[in-house]
Amino acid sequence: MAAPPPTDAKAASPAKDPKLGVPKAEKAELQAGGGSAAEAQKARTVESLNSTLSTYLKTLYEEVEKKYKLGSKQGLAEWLADEQQAPAVDAEILKDGSFSHFANYFTSGTGNAMKPAEAVDGSWPISNYFISSSHNTYLTGNQLASAASVDAYKNVLKRGCRCVEVDVWDGEPPSDSESSSDEEAQKTSGSGVKEKVKKEKKSLRKRLELRFGRKASPPPKETPKAASPPPPAAEQRIAPWRSNSSSRAEPRVLHGYTLTKEMSFREVCQTIRDYAFASSNLPLIVSLEVHTSPAQQEIMVELMKEYWRGMLVDLPLDPSEASEQIKLPTLKDLENKILVKVKRVSHKPIAAAAKPATLQAPAQLTPQQTNESAQSEISSDSEDAGVAPEKPPAPKPKVIDALSKLGVYFGGYHYKGLDVPEANIPTHVFSLSEKTLMEVHETSPAALFKHNKNFFMRAYPKGLRVTSSNLNPAIFWRQGVQIVALNWQRWDGGMMQNEAMFAGTAGWVLKPEGYRGASSGTLPKDAIEHHNLDLSIEFLAGQDIPLPPEEDDPKDFKPYIKVELHVEKPEEGEAEAIPGGGASNKGDYKKKTRTAKTTNPDFGREIVEFKGVKRVTEELTFVRFKVMDDERISDDLAAWACFRLDRLQPGIRMLHLYDSNGVVSKGVLLVRIKKTVSKA
């Protein structure tokens, strides 16, 4: 059994982990995620310039004026075209080319280092896009002991996420007396499934508590019913479920076999209804992980149809198409629609004993593995992985027809290979953990790339990432995977790259031409042109740099800038094992500046250069800037920015920063960027 990554092994608890942030619904649109945060123009302006920035801008103006004569229309146009590589319309804000208008060009946001996103072309079938996606959306912290909250859904939807995940389990009966007859009937029938699961769950919980040193209250099913909370305000109240069986339990949402807390599926449905299109009119995918009984699945269907009425796609757009030949619609066809991803019903006979379905099926634990099992493949998507209890778990409930039919364009299938019949069903989707995907990349690279040009695939973090760390999404985007699910509550390189990919978009980004279904490329290395890169960043000064979480005195702040390039590795194009299995989201090339002082640092025009970087694809290469606090033991992250290479604009630029919790800050860096991309 593989050991967990070092960063996860050292983590103690969410309270002591500065990279974990409880999602907040208030002003979530100013938090990174790839949606509205990048479009908040007011947050991208600079109200005033400190003396250091003003001095440097004056110096730069004199240099540019001497070379281009900004006072003339021709000189202004030449500077914009040559150095800034900016549209001619920018001349309107520069007006007469005086210094005051030159400074206004940068303070107004026009001189932003981030190139504005182009409007998405919605004419392609939906498998031709990358989709901003969340993993275990309901969790507010780590994967083992955090709470579930509807605020987590509000948060990611307001930030531009277009694929959310919901793990659904059987709800608690209204009272012991009402459920006792059902339990007794179940015991006398000889099934004993509930009791068996209870014991396994209890045993695993004990092991989790021993492993992580935390005592938590037992899962809801094992506790006396708590007093009801005060009723919500009338306008927030959820309408009661309309059914003659109102005494039945309702489904709940939680991370099964862990210490995480729960919430009701009804609350999640209401929140999705209210916020699905808060930041984007492009379709929202709801990825269901179903652990509920058939009776509870009926309630799920009832709730989704009730709350998402008018938005839910529950029938093909063209009802004349045969079920297994339904074609994927275009993106434009699905505006303001909710799409359900759910396991598709298989009408084959159920095997007498549960068998491993994928490359990461649960394994029998040995005594030596007992302590490790708490951190083993704890995944929300059991199509590919799951926690391994001491005894084989009860078979997962079969998805009923009524629920399965809601997966009109996203029918989930167990991954058994890329040459099986279901791999050619236009509306199928395979969900694989990062570990399994790396194995497929090594064994069937051409088949993997061909599949992902036409059909959906979803990648999610392996279960060892118990502290909600993220995989490196760029590796999977470069394999053509459309849905790369990330833990949005953690601020690491994975989420920073996600911001760069989707910044200022509506959460769906058209793939590079060679990655689309109409292209003839057989592997990423020949599907898209690769280039060589020379990149130079001159750092002049900074202003209003946010302090790291544990720092409160600007005089003690010693910032330096670390620049990282995330570039395709040679192994990615050659179908070889990727170093580290793609687990790390750190940059492939790293350089840093000298250390400066205070929140208004002077970097003295220091230049950081990357020369002759190979295998660069501009749409799938990322440049990350991290402002670090120089400490004796461990340097803390104070602020950051991340760019897709094709959207990092050259010239004199204001580089706007997010703070360490991913919130737009007033912090800026004045930089001068030179970028040369040439044929390999």
Side-chain angles (χ1 to χ4, degrees):
M1 181 175 293
T7 54
D8 287 328
K10 293 178 182 177
S13 70
K16 297 180 182 179
D17 191 341
K19 290 185 179 181
L20 270 178
V22 175
K24 297 178 181 178
E26 186 179 355
K27 295 186 178 179
E29 61 273 8
L30 293 180
Q31 209 169 9
S36 54
E39 296 177 330
Q41 190 62 26
K42 186 177 180 181
R44 296 301 185 185
T45 59
V46 180
E47 294 177 2
S48 61
L49 295 170
N50 65 28
S51 58
T52 307
L53 248 65
S54 293
T55 300
Y56 273 121
L57 267 182
K58 185 70 174 177
T59 301
L60 290 170
Y61 174 76
E62 290 170 354
E63 292 174 6
V64 172
E65 168 64 20
K66 183 177 180 180
K67 182 175 181 180
Y68 289 98
K69 307 299 180 188
L70 296 182
S72 69
K73 287 185 177 181
Q74 182 179 349
L76 198 60
E78 287 179 355
W79 176 66
L80 286 172
D82 294 350
E83 180 171 6
Q84 299 297 99
Q85 297 181 28
V89 71
D90 282 8
E92 294 178 9
I93 199 167
L94 288 154
K95 297 183 179 179
D96 60 2
S98 63
F99 174 69
S100 62
H101 290 118
F102 182 81
N104 188 46
Y105 173 77
F106 297 101
T107 58
S108 67
T110 311
N112 190 354
M114 175 77 76
K115 183 180 180 180
E118 296 181 3
V120 66
D121 177 358
S123 64
W124 290 81
I126 54 176
S127 58
N128 289 276
Y129 299 83
F130 295 125
I131 305 163
S132 185
S133 307
S134 168
H135 173 248
N136 286 353
T137 312
Y138 46 88
L139 292 181
T140 61
N142 66 33
Q143 306 289 302
L144 292 180
S146 63
S149 169
V150 292
D151 279 352
Y153 286 95
K154 293 177 188 178
N155 179 281
V156 303
L157 290 172
K158 290 171 77 172
R159 288 159 59 194
C161 182
R162 294 287 85 198
C163 181
V164 296
E165 185 177 21
V166 188
D167 282 17
V168 195
W169 296 75
D170 280 347
E172 185 177 350
S175 71
D176 292 339
S177 60
E178 287 174 331
S179 59
S180 60
S181 58
D182 289 339
E183 289 178 0
E184 189 62 31
Q186 195 173 46
K187 288 178 185 177
T188 54
S189 68
S191 66
V193 171
K194 268 193 177 180
E195 293 301 319
K196 182 179 179 183
V197 172
K198 264 186 170 181
K199 287 178 182 178
E200 291 164 357
K201 199 167 172 184
K202 194 171 182 180
S203 173
L204 180 59
R205 193 177 86 257
K206 285 284 186 188
R207 286 185 281 129
L208 290 173
E209 289 172 355
L210 286 171
R211 176 70 180 175
F212 291 94
R214 170 184 171 175
K215 276 212 166 188
S217 56
K221 278 195 167 186
E222 299 175 8
T223 56
K225 199 166 186 181
S228 299
E235 65 270 16
Q236 295 177 336
R237 232 171 253 151
I238 304 171
W241 177 51
R242 297 167 185 170
S243 170
N244 293 329
S245 304
S246 57
S247 62
R248 284 162 52 182
E250 286 196 358
R252 56 197 177 126
V253 176
L254 74 153
H255 200 192
Y257 301 102
T258 68
L259 301 175
T260 58
K261 300 300 184 286
E262 65 172 58
M263 61 184 159
S264 73
F265 182 67
R266 174 195 293 280
E267 291 178 286
V268 173
C269 288
Q270 184 203 32
T271 302
I272 289 174
R273 177 198 66 190
D274 294 344
Y275 292 90
F277 305 105
S279 68
S280 169
N281 69 338
L282 295 184
L284 173 68
I285 302 163
V286 177
S287 180
L288 296 177
E289 179 63 21
V290 181
H291 301 268
T292 51
S293 63
Q296 295 271 288
Q297 291 178 40
E298 290 177 4
I299 301 175
M300 288 175 63
V301 173
E302 182 88 19
L303 291 171
M304 287 188 285
K305 287 189 173 182
E306 176 68 23
Y307 282 103
W308 303 342
R309 185 180 299 161
M311 298 183 286
L312 178 65
V313 175
D314 55 359
L315 291 171
L317 298 186
D318 181 357
S320 67
E321 292 177 321
S323 60
E324 292 200 346
Q325 294 302 320
I326 297 172
K327 295 183 180 64
L328 291 175
T330 67
L331 183 60
K332 188 171 180 58
D333 290 335
L334 294 171
E335 289 181 354
N336 296 303
K337 294 298 182 183
I338 294 176
L339 307 167
V340 171
K341 173 192 168 291
V342 66
K343 184 180 176 183
R344 192 154 284 167
V345 170
S346 172
H347 295 286
K348 296 177 182 179
I350 299 174
K355 294 182 179 180
T358 65
L359 296 173
Q360 291 193 53
Q364 185 84 10
L365 291 180
T366 65
Q368 292 79 11
Q369 292 171 322
T370 299
N371 285 337
E372 293 180 355
S373 67
Q375 288 193 32
S376 70
E377 300 292 318
I378 300 173
S379 166
S380 67
D381 197 321
S382 61
E383 289 175 13
D384 192 54
V387 173
E390 290 174 341
K391 296 178 182 179
K396 191 175 174 182
K398 183 179 178 181
V399 175
I400 63 172
D401 280 337
L403 179 55
S404 179
K405 286 177 180 177
L406 292 185
V408 178
Y409 294 115
F410 288 89
Y413 290 86
H414 286 303
Y415 175 74
K416 299 174 184 175
L418 296 171
D419 54 355
V420 296
E422 53 263 37
N424 290 309
I425 298 173
T427 57
H428 85 274
V429 55
F430 289 139
S431 288
L432 290 82
S433 77
E434 55 182 296
K435 182 175 183 291
T436 301
L437 258 170
M438 287 296 93
E439 294 173 4
V440 178
H441 156 74
E442 293 173 35
T443 57
S444 309
L448 176 64
F449 188 67
K450 179 182 177 182
H451 174 277
N452 294 342
K453 287 200 299 180
N454 297 285
F455 307 109
F456 272 105
M457 185 168 282
R458 174 178 175 268
Y460 61 88
K462 60 186 178 182
L464 287 171
R465 297 182 179 276
V466 294
T467 63
S468 295
S469 64
N470 281 305
L471 48 75
N472 186 338
I475 289 177
F476 302 96
W477 288 327
R478 288 193 286 263
Q479 300 301 320
V481 177
Q482 298 89 344
I483 304 173
V484 182
L486 300 175
N487 293 303
W488 283 48
Q489 67 271 40
R490 170 165 285 274
W491 294 106
D492 57 15
M495 272 305 296
M496 293 177 191
Q497 288 181 73
N498 197 75
E499 163 64 22
M501 170 62 82
F502 297 102
T505 73
W508 291 67
V509 168
L510 187 63
K511 291 182 178 183
E513 186 176 354
Y515 280 65
R516 302 175 208 164
S519 70
S520 58
T522 57
L523 283 170
K525 65 179 181 179
D526 56 36
I528 188 169
E529 193 171 354
H530 289 68
H531 300 106
N532 295 331
L533 170 69
D534 290 333
L535 180 64
S536 167
I537 303 113
E538 180 181 358
F539 293 95
L540 293 98
Q543 176 175 297
D544 295 328
I545 308 297
L547 293 171
E550 302 300 320
E551 185 64 74
D552 56 10
D553 188 350
K555 293 179 182 178
D556 292 336
F557 183 44
K558 299 184 289 292
Y560 66 90
I561 315 297
K562 181 186 285 187
V563 186
E564 298 184 2
L565 297 186
H566 298 261
V567 183
E568 180 181 317
K569 297 173 176 61
E571 293 85 356
E572 291 181 52
E574 302 300 329
E576 298 173 359
I578 296 174
S584 171
N585 51 44
K586 296 183 183 298
D588 303 283
Y589 297 84
K590 307 180 190 71
K591 290 192 177 182
K592 65 180 183 178
T593 67
R594 293 186 294 271
T595 299
K597 296 179 180 179
T598 78
T599 56
N600 296 300
D602 183 347
F603 292 105
R605 305 192 72 164
E606 183 176 356
I607 296 175
V608 169
E609 288 184 300
F610 299 90
K611 287 190 171 293
V613 179
K614 301 183 183 300
R615 304 190 65 82
V616 170
T617 55
E618 289 185 88
E619 295 158 285
L620 295 168
T621 294
F622 300 88
V623 185
R624 183 159 57 129
F625 298 83
K626 296 195 293 183
V627 183
M628 307 296 295
D629 187 11
D630 196 345
E631 299 280 1
R632 287 184 179 180
I633 300 176
S634 178
D635 297 346
D636 297 323
L637 175 70
W640 61 274
C642 194
F643 302 83
R644 215 170 68 182
L645 183 61
D646 63 331
R647 294 185 61 192
L648 177 64
Q649 301 196 98
I652 301 169
R653 295 288 172 183
M654 282 289 193
L655 197 154
H656 294 265
L657 299 168
Y658 289 103
D659 69 17
S660 60
N661 288 315
V663 178
V664 171
S665 76
K666 293 183 178 180
V668 292
L669 299 173
L670 178 61
V671 297
R672 196 171 201 168
I673 299 170
K674 295 180 181 178
K675 182 177 74 173
T676 303
V677 179
S678 57
K679 287 190 176 183

